Amino acid sequence: MFVNRARFSTSILTQQIRRLKSTLVLAEHNNEVLNPITANTVTAAKKCGAGDITVLVAGTKCGPASEAAAKLEGVSKVLVAENAAFNGFTAEALTALLVATQNQYKFTHILSGATAFGKAVLPRLAAKLDVSPISDIIDVESEDTFVRTIYAGNAILKLKAKDPVKIITVRGTNFEAAKEGGSAAIEKAPEGDFKTDLTEFISQELTKSERPSLTAAKVIISGGRGLKSGDNFKLLYDLADKFGAAVGASRAAVDAGYVPNDLQIGQTGKIVAPDLYIAVGISGAIQHLAGMKDSKVIVAINKDPEAPIFQVSDYGLVADLFKAVPELTTKV
Amino acid sequence: MSRILVGVKRVIDYAVKIRVKPDKTGVVTDGVKHSMNPFDEIAVEEAVKMKEKKLASEVIALTIGPAQSVETLRTALAMGADRGIHVEISGKEWELLQPLHVSKIFAKVAEKEKVDFVIVGKQAIDDDSNQTAQMTAALLDWPQATFASKIEKKGDKIEVTREIDGGLETVSCKIPAVISADLRLNTPRYATLPNIMKAKKKPVEKLAAKDLGVDTAARIDVVSVEDPPVRQAGSVVPDVDTLVAKLKDSGFVK
């Protein structure tokens, strides 16, 4: 009896030690550069209580991203899977690799940024492992307790995950980026036949922009239906140049065809939290606020004094944007 | 001819300002207006369009949830779905039901009904998970075309344009496939009164999770549901000059 109990507690202890040492971060990159959200995800991984963090870099060309990942503080190992099968980073091929990696290393936490990429891949992996994934966390309370928003950010859910493996996507704006200064070992990821004929990547049409990316920008100028046309967005680009800012949009502006969809900020677009967010001609629907209300300072320019955006703005200006924005551009 | 399974969820209407329960166990749902998850309306519209284009012969709408979910199913039928399936789950079990459970039910129904496409919304606006399509595809070992803004049949495959962070991307998927609908896929039609009347006569099959062999044991515990932090009330400035001065004070303008 006593022996049994001792064995039992030893096994718990080994489990705990193993649990402390096994987090995998799925890196996001474009075969050229590492997506900055990977650094934020590493910070979230540290908060999960993981001493050892492994980053998996998969793609058709992994050199630059794996070197960048190895430099992140807190990363102890980088696994590289360079293979033509990962062309287009399809979830089908990556899931096969992730399952093979998990079978070999038995991670307790698997994380990725909550981007279009992470959102597509991690739930597929979770189903293969029979785990309920946890989307878009904003905080980590302990190794099994996480915080996320529900109802377009109008409620905050704290949940305890019961599954043995935690599969998590991370809201980048809620975690500092891990700093450089590490020097992790770079190793080969498990090999296998990861080629899939289920989905084939055909092409990409990326929006070209010289501006900072929306999710990384310190200042964002955002336009809504009040801009009235795509051409009028030039007013916002002029103002954005003064601040070195990114330009975003509400769903109304995207649906009206003023700007492409990847500029959409909100519940179903991008979630941003810049130092300064200037909302121009945006009423402030719940779904839009969900994407920007964690910004440090919010400025609203709208001619309707009753617009809900004024309830969250630090500085509101009730004015015609076609007069106020050019004036602001000349004065800043 | 293809058959399509389309998923619909009854959620609190998108325009309702939700309230958190004082005991922090969830949000108030009693007496609150519910409707079909907006992304699911887009999924139903696409399924019905595919039928109208003769790409499919039958559209089956599936909902999972308490008894009232049948209303949502009737809306899908009024939009053009041919028949409905209601997997009833209520009470505590419903509150803790996760997309993993939902996906297992979808996968079982997809196999049982021998469908060629499963179309669901990209995410439900209540739990904001964005998982069901991906997990259903994984369980069936089918391709997933997530965040779709355009779907075209090309030979024996479908070509799907997906909304990704930097713009758009196009992938080609084998059929059968699972698709999740993004906002830009289409504009859902309104159910007309005659169609709402007709929908009342369309068949709805009622099933339980255990009929399908799906275990719905809880995968999470809800620790708490709370209000988000309230932002400090701001001020309205009289003119652009004052705004510039405020931005200077905060260090944004030098």
Side-chain angles (χ1 to χ4, degrees), chain A residues 130 135 156 163 205 293 316, chain B residues 104 129 168 219 226 231 237:
Chain A
D130 194 26
S135 295
I156 295 181
D163 288 311
E205 200 183 309
K293 67 181 175 185
Chain B
K104 287 180 177 178
S129 287
L168 299 169
R219 298 302 187 107
E226 296 187 40
R231 281 190 82 94
V237 296

Side-chain angles (χ1 to χ4, degrees), chain A residues 245-311:
Chain A
V247 171
S250 70
R251 178 186 167 185
V254 176
D255 283 352
Y258 302 168
V259 289
N261 65 281
D262 57 304
L263 263 55
Q264 184 182 323
I265 289 165
Q267 183 184 18
T268 66
K270 294 195 172 68
I271 311 265
V272 298
D275 294 338
L276 174 63
Y277 187 91
I278 305 183
V280 180
I282 291 177
S283 64
I286 295 169
Q287 294 77 17
H288 185 73
L289 301 184
M292 45 64 79
K293 67 181 175 185
D294 289 334
S295 306
K296 289 205 181 74
V297 173
I298 298 174
V299 169
I301 301 174
N302 202 302
K303 64 181 177 191
D304 173 13
E306 304 298 322
I309 191 78
F310 289 120
Q311 288 163 21

Side-chain angles (χ1 to χ4, degrees), chain A residues 220-242:
Chain A
I220 294 175
I221 320 280
S222 204
R225 201 195 305 269
L227 267 295
K228 294 197 168 73
S229 79
D231 292 341
N232 289 335
F233 261 74
K234 183 169 185 312
L235 295 175
L236 303 193
Y237 286 113
D238 291 344
L239 181 58
D241 286 338
K242 286 287 182 90

Side-chain angles (χ1 to χ4, degrees), chain A residues 60-141:
Chain A
T60 52
K61 188 180 155 212
C62 301
S66 52
E67 278 157 34
K71 285 194 192 112
L72 291 175
E73 218 168 62
V75 175
S76 52
K77 184 163 40 182
V78 175
L79 294 174
V80 178
E82 197 169 279
N83 193 320
F86 306 127
N87 181 36
F89 304 100
T90 64
E92 291 81 351
L94 288 170
T95 299
L97 168 69
L98 281 160
V99 169
T101 310
Q102 174 63 7
N103 285 343
Q104 182 169 335
Y105 292 92
K106 312 278 182 222
F107 297 103
T108 53
H109 295 71
I110 303 176
L111 290 78
S112 173
T115 56
F117 167 79
K119 288 173 184 174
V121 178
L122 258 53
R124 189 173 181 106
L125 169 69
K128 289 285 185 200
L129 302 178
D130 194 26
V131 165
S132 177
I134 305 149
S135 295
D136 218 352
I137 60 160
I138 61 168
D139 203 0
V140 177
E141 187 150 294

Side-chain angles (χ1 to χ4, degrees), chain A residues 91-92 115-116 119-120 123-124 127-128 130-135 148 150-163 197-207 243 251 254-255 261-262 264 267-268 270 275-276 286-287 293 295-299 312-317 324 327-328 331-332, chain B residues 12 14 16-18 20 27 39 98 100 104 122-123 125-131 134-135 137-139 141-144 146-147 162-174 183-184 218-226 228-229 231 234-241 243-244 246-247 250 252-253:
Chain A
E92 291 81 351
T115 56
K119 288 173 184 174
R124 189 173 181 106
K128 289 285 185 200
D130 194 26
V131 165
S132 177
I134 305 149
S135 295
R148 58 183 302 266
I150 51 175
Y151 291 95
N154 286 299
I156 295 181
L157 166 68
K158 193 185 288 180
L159 67 97
K160 189 169 183 291
K162 294 178 164 186
D163 288 311
D197 60 352
L198 293 176
T199 293
E200 186 193 351
F201 171 78
I202 305 283
S203 64
Q204 243 179 25
E205 200 183 309
L206 299 182
T207 309
F243 284 103
R251 178 186 167 185
V254 176
D255 283 352
N261 65 281
D262 57 304
Q264 184 182 323
Q267 183 184 18
T268 66
K270 294 195 172 68
D275 294 338
L276 174 63
I286 295 169
Q287 294 77 17
K293 67 181 175 185
S295 306
K296 289 205 181 74
V297 173
I298 298 174
V299 169
V312 299
S313 62
D314 299 278
Y315 307 116
L317 177 63
E327 190 185 344
L328 184 59
K331 287 179 175 169
V332 295
Chain B
I12 293 183
Y14 73 93
V16 170
K17 176 95 180 77
I18 60 119
V20 169
V27 306
F39 288 94
Q98 297 295 300
L100 176 64
K104 287 180 177 178
K122 144 172 129 166
Q123 75 192 58
I125 60 164
D126 52 1
D127 69 359
D128 282 334
S129 287
N130 194 334
Q131 299 169 352
Q134 297 87 313
M135 299 179 89
L139 295 169
D141 231 335
W142 292 1
Q144 63 182 56
T146 44
F147 329 141
R162 306 177 55 226
E163 298 205 0
I164 56 166
D165 290 337
L168 299 169
E169 91 171 18
T170 306
V171 294
S172 169
C173 295
K174 267 192 163 177
L183 283 171
R184 254 70 62 175
R219 298 302 187 107
I220 62 161
D221 284 333
V222 172
V223 178
S224 66
V225 175
E226 296 187 40
R231 281 190 82 94
S235 59
V236 169
V237 296
D239 51 31
V240 172
D241 288 321
L243 179 58
V244 173
K246 294 282 188 195
L247 291 176
S250 327
F252 293 114
V253 178

Side-chain angles (χ1 to χ4, degrees), chain B residues 103-178:
Chain B
S103 309
K104 287 180 177 178
I105 294 171
F106 268 87
K108 290 284 184 199
V109 174
E111 279 172 344
K112 183 168 166 262
E113 298 286 347
K114 300 188 175 52
V115 301
D116 304 275
F117 297 102
V118 175
I119 310 181
V120 295
K122 144 172 129 166
Q123 75 192 58
I125 60 164
D126 52 1
D127 69 359
D128 282 334
S129 287
N130 194 334
Q131 299 169 352
T132 299
Q134 297 87 313
M135 299 179 89
T136 305
L139 295 169
L140 290 164
D141 231 335
W142 292 1
Q144 63 182 56
T146 44
F147 329 141
S149 64
K150 195 173 157 200
I151 302 168
E152 273 181 299
K153 185 132 191 297
K154 291 257 172 98
D156 59 350
K157 293 191 173 181
I158 48 160
E159 214 167 271
V160 179
T161 304
R162 306 177 55 226
E163 298 205 0
I164 56 166
D165 290 337
L168 299 169
E169 91 171 18
T170 306
V171 294
S172 169
C173 295
K174 267 192 163 177
I175 298 169
V178 180

